[in-house]
């Protein structure tokens, strides 16, 4: 059974909830620097101040509007279809989708924390690792499902969505030169998504 390309909001409650949290959280943080600084991924603050909430809140904060738009589109385009697919093949499919997302989030942020826990200068923000984890999970579960369509090129299957997403993020980083984009979290998050998918499959 495959996921449908027709969007049905009733079949994607978790994805839409996450999307809402990310959009609202990011817009608020972009307006209020104090909120931005208190929510981003900062391993030294987690270690010294026990601010473990940052492992989750950093997903809901983005560096600028372009960063937010890229991730919001990616989560909506792929995450909604992944959740809908899981609801067709698993009991409590939306819960399984949340498990994939949170596992990817924690893999990305916990491993980043362990590596940079003594580096005061390091900080990052964004849901890229969690989203890439969802993409990798969907790729394993439904490799030839068409995730979205591109003019001229046609349908893009799950085998290639992660690569396209990474290229967009690299392009964004090169153009914006934003130091808060954490490339390592992409790999760690993808690892979390792969492991989740293998356990579900």
């Amino acid at each position: 059974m495959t996921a449908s390309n027709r969007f049905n909001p009733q079949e994607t409650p978790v994805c839409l909830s996450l999307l809402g949290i990310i959009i609202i959280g990011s817009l608020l943080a972009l307006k209020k620097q104090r909120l931005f600084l208190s929510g981003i991924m900062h391993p030294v603050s987690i270690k010294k101040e026990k601010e473990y909430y940052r492992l989750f809140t950093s997903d809901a904060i983005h560096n600028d509007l372009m960063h937010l738009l890229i991730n919001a589109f990616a989560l909506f385009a792929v995450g909604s279809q992944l959740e809908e697919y899981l609801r067709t093949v698993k009991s409590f499919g939306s819960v399984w989708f949340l498990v994939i997302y949170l596992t990817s989030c924690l893999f990305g942020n916990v491993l980043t924390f362990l590596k940079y826990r003594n580096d005061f200068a390091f900080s990052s923000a964004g849901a890229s690792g969690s989203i890439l984890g969802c993409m990798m999970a969907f790729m394993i579960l439904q490799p030839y499902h068409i995730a979205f369509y591109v003019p001229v090129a046609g349908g893009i299957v799950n085998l290639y969505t992660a690569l396209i997403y990474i290229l967009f993020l690299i392009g964004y980083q090169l153009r914006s030169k934003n130091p808060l984009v954490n490339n390592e979290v992409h790999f760690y998050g993808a690892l979390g998504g792969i492991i989740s998918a293998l356990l579900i499959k």
Side-chain angles (χ1 to χ4, degrees), residues 15 29-30 35 42 48 58 65 67 69 72 82 106-107 115 122 156 174 177 179 181 193 201:
C15 180
L30 288 173
L35 179 61
H42 190 240
K48 292 188 174 181
S58 58
L65 283 177
H67 190 205
L69 286 173
L82 173 58
L106 288 174
F107 258 76
K115 181 172 182 179
F122 179 88
I156 305 298
L174 290 175
K177 302 187 186 303
V181 176
K201 195 169 182 178

Side-chain angles (χ1 to χ4, degrees), residues 139 143-144 148 155-165:
M139 182 187 74
Y144 298 106
F148 56 88
I156 305 298
V157 299
N158 284 333
L159 280 173
Y160 306 115
T161 54
L163 175 61
I164 293 171
Y165 178 55

Side-chain angles (χ1 to χ4, degrees), residues 15-177:
C15 180
L16 292 180
S17 297
L18 290 171
L19 188 61
I21 291 169
I22 288 170
I23 291 173
I24 293 170
S26 295
L27 292 177
L28 288 174
L30 288 173
K31 282 190 173 184
K32 300 181 179 181
Q33 187 180 34
R34 188 172 183 179
L35 179 61
F36 181 89
L37 294 176
S38 66
I40 61 174
M41 180 65 181
H42 190 240
V44 170
S45 293
I46 295 174
K47 178 183 177 181
K48 292 188 174 181
E49 306 298 329
K50 311 299 183 186
E51 295 176 349
Y52 298 110
Y53 66 85
R54 290 178 183 266
L55 295 172
F56 298 97
T57 58
S58 58
D59 252 44
I61 295 176
H62 287 74
N63 307 317
D64 53 39
L65 283 177
M66 182 56 67
H67 190 205
L68 173 60
L69 286 173
I70 292 172
N71 279 350
F73 172 77
L75 178 59
F76 176 75
V78 176
S80 60
Q81 294 184 67
L82 173 58
E83 182 177 0
E84 187 172 353
Y85 165 74
L86 289 170
R87 285 169 66 98
T88 65
V89 299
K90 302 284 290 185
S91 298
F92 308 106
S94 290
V95 175
W96 283 110
F97 171 73
L98 184 60
V99 167
I100 292 174
Y101 186 94
L102 291 179
T103 301
S104 303
C105 172
L106 288 174
F107 258 76
N109 289 332
V110 170
L111 291 177
T112 295
F113 161 71
L114 292 174
K115 181 172 182 179
Y116 293 102
R117 62 188 182 277
N118 296 315
D119 184 355
F120 186 84
F122 179 88
S123 60
S124 66
S128 306
S130 305
I131 295 168
L132 191 56
C134 290
M135 288 181 171
M136 297 302 291
F138 205 9
M139 182 187 74
I140 290 172
L141 297 170
Q142 287 280 285
Y144 298 106
H145 170 73
I146 296 176
F148 56 88
Y149 290 87
V150 175
V152 181
I156 305 298
V157 299
N158 284 333
L159 280 173
Y160 306 115
T161 54
L163 175 61
I164 293 171
Y165 178 55
I166 289 172
L167 290 175
F168 265 98
L169 288 173
I170 291 173
Y172 159 77
Q173 187 175 19
L174 290 175
R175 187 167 181 174
S176 68
K177 302 187 186 303

